[in-house]
Amino acid sequence: MAERPKWVPGDIDLERPSVARVYDYWLGGAHNFAADRAVANQTLEVMPELRGVILTNRALLRRMVRHLLDLGVRQFLDLGSGIPTAGNVHEIAHAVDPAAKVVYVDIDAVAVAHGRSILADVPNAIALQADVRDPKSVLEAAEVRSVLDFDRPVAVLMIALLHFVPDSDDPHGIIADYLDALVPGSYLGITHYGSEEEGDEGEGAVEARRRYSKQVTPMIHRTRTEFASLFGDLEFTEPGVVRLPYWRPESPDDVDEAAARFPGFAALGRKR
């Protein structure tokens, strides 16, 4: 049995890997356990480029938040946020406007406990432990209502989240419930694992997804068309639905030959 660090909640099973902690390890974080690192490394064996994929996704989050700030958004609801390590939403937003409001939501107790520790002295930012598949429990939480004003635009972020939500959990319905609570001028930002069509992922990606699904949680592949359908009748902002590296890159040098094969999509939609 692994030794329990002091910062770990008592009810956490150290032998069971979690989405948030495996992701934290790939990002170079320190809030993960041996079980998380084992799964992460086994997945990297068959898909060595995966760590770069994760870092690209993280860079996309920063670009998307900056763009939303440029659009005038000052409220962010980050669903499935994971462990809020350096360069996360509140740091980006507060660098532009210290009055910007941020709510992180995750089901992982370690992610939330660490998030609360980080945010203890940060105004206008909180971490909530909740199941994002239950929008009512999130939207009606007193902590959320104390931070976010739903009479003003809110940006809902689902970054690397929905590929863990199978069709049986009705991701379209979940999204619709969140959007129903938002005023026009609000936004929905999503990144998601996938490829143009089922079956063209590449052998390494298929095996990596199989290992991850078996040892952590099932991971869902969606095509570009399936991904786009998640936005319902929202209006896409430029550049629409694209593979992650093509979503508003900071420099042309950030888009290389591998970008066209990147295993995932990104888009930002506006509620009219």
Side-chain angles (χ1 to χ4, degrees):
M1 182 67 66
E3 182 180 351
R4 182 177 298 275
K6 294 180 179 179
W7 49 265
V8 178
D11 58 348
I12 294 298
D13 182 356
L14 304 190
E15 305 302 318
R16 182 176 180 178
S18 85
V19 172
R21 298 193 303 272
V22 171
Y23 193 78
D24 176 68
Y25 174 71
W26 280 329
L27 285 172
H31 289 77
N32 49 75
F33 311 136
D36 305 305
R37 295 188 288 274
V39 171
N41 287 326
Q42 288 168 20
T43 308
L44 288 172
E45 288 176 2
V46 294
M47 190 179 178
E49 68 272 25
L50 181 56
R51 181 169 270 126
V53 168
I54 299 299
L55 293 173
T56 298
N57 193 77
R58 188 67 165 190
L60 178 283
L61 169 65
R62 293 192 285 267
R63 297 199 305 275
M64 189 171 282
V65 171
R66 292 189 189 107
H67 182 57
L68 286 161
L69 290 162
D70 290 343
L71 293 172
V73 175
R74 292 297 183 270
Q75 300 192 107
F76 300 87
L77 179 58
D78 188 355
L79 302 174
S81 55
I83 298 171
T85 49
N88 215 313
V89 177
H90 70 281
E91 291 185 349
I92 300 164
H94 288 168
V96 173
D97 184 351
K101 300 177 179 180
V102 179
V103 172
Y104 296 108
V105 184
D106 205 284
I107 198 170
D108 186 281
V110 170
V112 175
H114 187 53
R116 287 172 175 166
S117 175
I118 291 173
L119 301 173
D121 298 318
V122 178
N124 303 318
I126 65 166
L128 172 72
Q129 185 175 2
D131 188 339
V132 299
R133 296 171 299 178
D134 181 4
K136 184 176 180 180
S137 72
V138 174
L139 295 168
E140 295 184 1
E143 306 101 300
V144 174
R145 291 284 170 174
S146 71
V147 174
L148 299 180
D149 177 1
F150 286 96
D151 291 326
R152 297 173 53 231
V154 176
V156 174
L157 302 174
M158 296 183 171
I159 305 300
L161 167 66
L162 292 172
H163 47 230
F164 300 122
V165 180
D167 290 342
S168 58
D169 283 344
D170 188 17
H172 291 85
I174 292 169
I175 291 170
D177 286 347
Y178 281 109
L179 292 176
D180 284 347
L182 307 182
V183 299
S186 294
Y187 290 86
L188 171 66
I190 305 177
T191 68
H192 195 297
Y193 172 78
S195 58
E196 297 295 338
E197 298 295 338
E198 184 79 42
D200 65 355
E201 303 167 73
E203 292 183 7
V206 170
E207 177 60 19
R209 178 158 64 98
R210 187 194 69 79
R211 292 188 182 191
Y212 188 95
S213 296
K214 181 179 180 180
Q215 299 181 74
V216 186
T217 193
M219 188 172 181
I220 311 303
H221 172 280
R222 290 190 171 98
T223 65
R224 178 189 291 265
T225 299
E226 291 169 335
F227 172 78
S229 74
L230 295 170
F231 288 83
D233 62 358
L234 296 184
E235 177 184 19
F236 286 115
T237 66
E238 290 294 332
V241 175
V242 294
R243 294 187 186 250
L244 262 74
Y246 292 114
W247 200 90
R248 307 184 70 87
E250 294 177 348
S251 165
D253 295 335
D254 294 337
V255 181
D256 58 20
E257 294 180 358
R261 302 185 302 276
F262 189 91
F265 301 104
L268 180 67
R270 182 180 186 273
K271 183 174 181 179
R272 291 173 283 198

